[in-house]
Amino acid sequence: MPDSRSQRSTKPTVVVGTGNPHKVREISALLGDLAAAIHDAGVLAGAPDVDETGATFEENARLKAVAFARAAAGARSAGGALHGTPDPIWVVSDDSGLCVEALDGRPGVHSARYAATSAGENADSAANNRKLLRELERVPDGARSARFVCAVAVASVPAGPLEAPRVLLTVRGECRGRIERTPRGKGGFGYDPLFVPEGSRHTFAELPPREKNTISHRGRALQALRAEVEELLGVAGRDQ
């Protein structure tokens, strides 16, 4: 039986399930020619507050995608910005973080709230970086390897709020490197001032954005996402 994914050709409307405008720009740039339209979470009646209880980045990405897809279904049926938008409507969400080998993979899925003082709250990047450096203080330079991980999930938006969204695909991207002893650079965000990718002498925060995006975990995940979307829509190999 032919793969049903190869039979589809209708361009989807995409809602980027995040409040981060940087991620919206990246996804828009990469999928713009494959989508009928790309929207940020502003088209929803209200962005959901997602409890990231997953044990993996993939699980959290799917939790976010399903939660935003439910919110989009509500906005679609309530006469909001998505009212009248034809199928398919998709939500794209991601979860990412830093895994340090000497710390048994921490901070991992808790990267954003690594130094948080209250459960369920994120910590600011400076506090997270200080905690990471404290925990690695006695770790020698040759044992400070780490990897950034990003998982991206796509969920379909149902016609009404009583129907369940369906996760269509999940992809993953990684970037390996090492953790410096002092922050360097003013670009990027999060742990970027401490992370030096393999093959470079510069931290993510020192690299120009375009160079960083070609090798970063999120950039690689989005490239994998594009390939999967092309297959899902049956457009792989066509001239864009």
Side-chain angles (χ1 to χ4, degrees):
M1 180 180 295
D3 187 342
S4 62
R5 297 194 303 177
S6 66
Q7 306 304 311
R8 299 185 62 177
S9 59
T10 303
K11 289 186 174 183
T13 295
V14 173
V15 178
V16 185
T18 179
N20 186 327
H22 174 76
K23 295 179 183 180
V24 175
R25 287 194 297 270
E26 284 189 356
I27 292 173
S28 297
L30 198 71
L31 298 183
D33 61 319
L34 297 179
I38 297 181
H39 303 283
D40 61 24
V43 299
L44 307 180
D49 185 12
V50 184
D51 191 6
E52 299 176 26
T53 57
T56 67
F57 296 107
E58 285 83 359
E59 289 177 8
N60 280 333
R62 289 191 286 267
L63 285 171
K64 293 178 185 179
V66 167
F68 274 88
R70 285 199 182 99
R76 183 182 187 185
S77 63
L82 295 176
H83 182 69
T85 301
D87 287 322
I89 306 175
W90 294 351
V91 165
V92 178
S93 294
D94 87 308
D95 190 53
S96 57
L98 179 71
C99 301
V100 181
E101 291 186 14
L103 301 179
D104 297 323
R106 296 192 311 275
V109 294
H110 304 293
S111 291
R113 50 192 185 274
Y114 194 39
T117 56
S118 300
E121 293 185 0
N122 290 346
D124 65 68
S125 295
N128 285 332
N129 286 334
R130 286 194 298 269
K131 179 175 180 178
L132 180 64
L133 289 177
R134 284 197 305 271
E135 294 205 337
L136 291 176
E137 186 175 5
R138 298 182 181 277
V139 177
D141 291 346
R144 299 171 72 89
S145 57
R147 58 193 168 94
F148 266 125
V149 179
C150 176
V152 181
V154 178
S156 61
V157 176
L162 298 181
E163 300 177 50
R166 184 166 64 92
V167 176
L168 302 176
L169 60 94
T170 309
V171 297
R172 181 184 180 100
E174 294 189 8
C175 181
R176 295 185 177 274
R178 69 181 189 278
I179 303 299
E180 288 289 277
R181 292 191 175 276
T182 56
R184 300 202 320 259
K186 298 185 180 299
F189 57 94
Y191 298 95
D192 285 359
L194 294 176
F195 184 81
V196 176
E198 286 184 348
S200 177
R201 295 179 297 174
H202 303 291
T203 68
F204 266 175
E206 293 177 309
L207 292 176
R210 179 172 294 183
E211 183 177 348
K212 175 198 168 186
N213 291 339
T214 61
I215 63 173
S216 74
H217 52 308
R218 184 168 293 107
R220 289 171 175 170
L222 291 178
Q223 288 292 342
L225 174 67
R226 181 182 173 87
E228 289 285 343
V229 167
E230 286 180 337
E231 184 179 353
L232 193 66
L233 297 176
V235 299
R238 297 183 189 176
D239 293 332
Q240 300 300 325

